[in-house]
């Protein structure tokens, strides 16, 4: 089955360029601003959008994304409202892939069958659930695939060749390679090591490999893009949101504009990397 995600990466390969995957937190700093950001991302150059689902215990996330989640929760964001965001986005965009990224607890509380039905109906294309290993595939991964949602798995520098087949067995859409050991935004990835790691993963799968965690600047994005099918930028974007807020933590006229500017710079850098068409 062709999903928006697989279609987008097929188009990117045909165009001979890597993609830019952007992450923002749903509901940060409020629902309306979050929707405006979401709608602005594709025109600014985002090829795929990851939408973070706020959670009270985001163990894989660094300070910037943790703070974004807390701002969103304080503003009343819920999983149901996150699906409302996607639904509103789909009113004007039927092609840009959207991946929900988060943790299993909110989905479990919502109810897995109900969540999958509602997510699919809202226009979600894929899921990244960082605290569900392959051994728990029956909980969400397999039902998600059956519902037509890509289940995107994380591979890390410590995922060796013995573990990779289990990680990749039910992965769909793309593989998310975590370029550093640790939490989001905590270190700068080494482009040469990342390129070698992506090549190793590709010996085990035909899926595209997108690289994230620690990519902050256009220069870093371009360096990573040379060895990957996609570059994921998250902490830098949510930090741009934070830096634009007023003293009360409310959105200003700069909030959407500042994020748009950074995404355009990142997209220009990533799109400057060319490779032979697949």
């Amino acid at each position: 089955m062709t999903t928006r995600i697989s279609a987008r990466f097929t188009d990117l390969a045909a165009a001979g360029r890597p993609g830019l995957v952007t992450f923002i937190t749903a509901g940060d700093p409020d629902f309306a601003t979050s929707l405006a950001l979401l709608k602005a991302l594709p025109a600014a150059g985002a090829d795929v959008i990851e939408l973070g689902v706020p959670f009270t215990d985001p163990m894989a996330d660094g300070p910037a994304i943790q703070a974004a989640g807390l701002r969103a929760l304080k503003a009343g964001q819920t999983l149901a409202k996150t699906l409302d965001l996607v639904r509103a986005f789909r009113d004007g965009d039927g092609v840009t892939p959207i991946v929900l990224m988060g943790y299993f607890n909110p989905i479990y509380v919502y109810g897995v069958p109900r969540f999958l039905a509602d997510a699919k109906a809202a226009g979600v294309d894929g899921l990244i659930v960082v605290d569900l290993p392959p051994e728990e595939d029956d909980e969400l991964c397999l039902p998600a695939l059956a519902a037509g949602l890509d289940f995107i798995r994380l591979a890390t520098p410590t995922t060796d060749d013995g573990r990779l087949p289990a990680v990749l067995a039910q992965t769909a859409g793309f593989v998310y390679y975590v370029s550093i050991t640790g939490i989001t935004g905590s270190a700068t990835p080494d482009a040469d090591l990342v390129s070698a790691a992506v090549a190793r993963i590709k010996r085990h799968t035909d899926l595209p490999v997108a690289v994230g965690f620690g990519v902050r600047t256009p220069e870093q994005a371009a360096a990573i893009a040379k060895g990957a099918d996609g570059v994921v930028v998250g902490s830098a974007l949510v930090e741009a949101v934070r830096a634009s807020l007023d003293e009360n933590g409310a959105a200003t006229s700069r909030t959407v504009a500042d994020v748009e500017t950074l995404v355009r710079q990142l997209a220009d850098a990533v799109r400057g990397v060319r490779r032979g068409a697949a």
Side-chain angles (χ1 to χ4, degrees):
M1 181 182 66
T2 300
T3 65
R4 289 187 187 96
I5 296 170
S6 58
R8 177 55 52 93
F9 277 104
T10 296
D11 289 347
L12 289 169
R17 70 171 181 88
L20 175 64
V21 183
T22 56
F23 172 99
I24 61 170
T25 298
D28 175 33
D30 59 73
F31 185 94
T33 305
S34 184
L35 179 58
L37 286 165
L38 197 60
K39 289 183 173 181
L41 289 174
D47 296 298
V48 178
I49 297 170
E50 288 180 9
L51 189 58
V53 179
F55 182 50
T56 53
D57 187 23
M59 61 185 181
D61 294 312
I65 293 178
Q66 286 187 26
L70 291 175
R71 288 193 298 269
L73 291 169
K74 184 179 179 181
Q77 190 68 16
T78 63
L79 180 53
K81 288 183 177 179
T82 299
L83 297 181
D84 289 341
L85 265 179
V86 178
R87 195 174 293 109
F89 173 81
R90 285 286 173 233
D91 282 343
D93 188 319
V95 297
T96 303
I98 289 192
V99 177
L100 295 189
M101 185 171 187
Y103 300 83
F104 185 48
N105 182 270
I107 296 171
Y108 178 80
V109 172
Y110 193 99
V112 169
R114 173 176 166 237
F115 166 74
L116 293 175
D118 289 355
K120 183 69 175 176
V124 173
D125 302 295
L127 305 174
I128 300 174
V129 183
V130 300
D131 54 349
L132 277 183
E135 289 74 18
E136 305 294 335
D137 273 354
D138 289 344
E139 293 281 353
L140 182 63
C141 173
L142 296 180
L145 293 172
L149 295 169
D150 287 335
F151 199 86
I152 296 150
R153 197 76 78 181
L154 302 180
T156 74
T158 59
T159 308
D160 61 22
D161 286 332
R163 180 62 173 168
L164 262 178
V167 170
L168 298 173
Q170 303 296 340
T171 299
F174 63 93
V175 180
Y176 189 135
Y177 180 66
V178 177
S179 60
I180 57 172
T181 54
I183 54 177
T184 57
S186 62
T188 300
D190 183 304
D192 291 336
L193 293 178
V194 167
S195 182
V198 170
R200 180 172 66 87
I201 292 169
K202 283 181 167 290
R203 290 196 289 270
H204 293 264
T205 181
D206 293 329
L207 289 170
V209 180
V211 176
F213 280 51
V215 181
R216 297 184 187 87
T217 67
E219 293 76 19
Q220 291 170 350
I224 295 298
K226 292 176 183 177
D229 300 300
V231 180
V232 187
V233 181
S235 294
L237 298 181
V238 298
E239 179 60 19
V241 171
R242 184 207 62 77
S244 75
L245 305 179
D246 67 17
E247 63 274 13
N248 297 313
T252 67
S253 59
R254 291 173 40 219
T255 302
V256 175
D258 286 1
V259 173
E260 280 183 306
T261 297
L262 179 53
V263 172
R264 285 196 185 95
Q265 292 169 348
L266 291 162
D268 286 346
V270 170
R271 292 179 185 199
V273 177
R274 310 302 297 182
R275 55 172 58 98

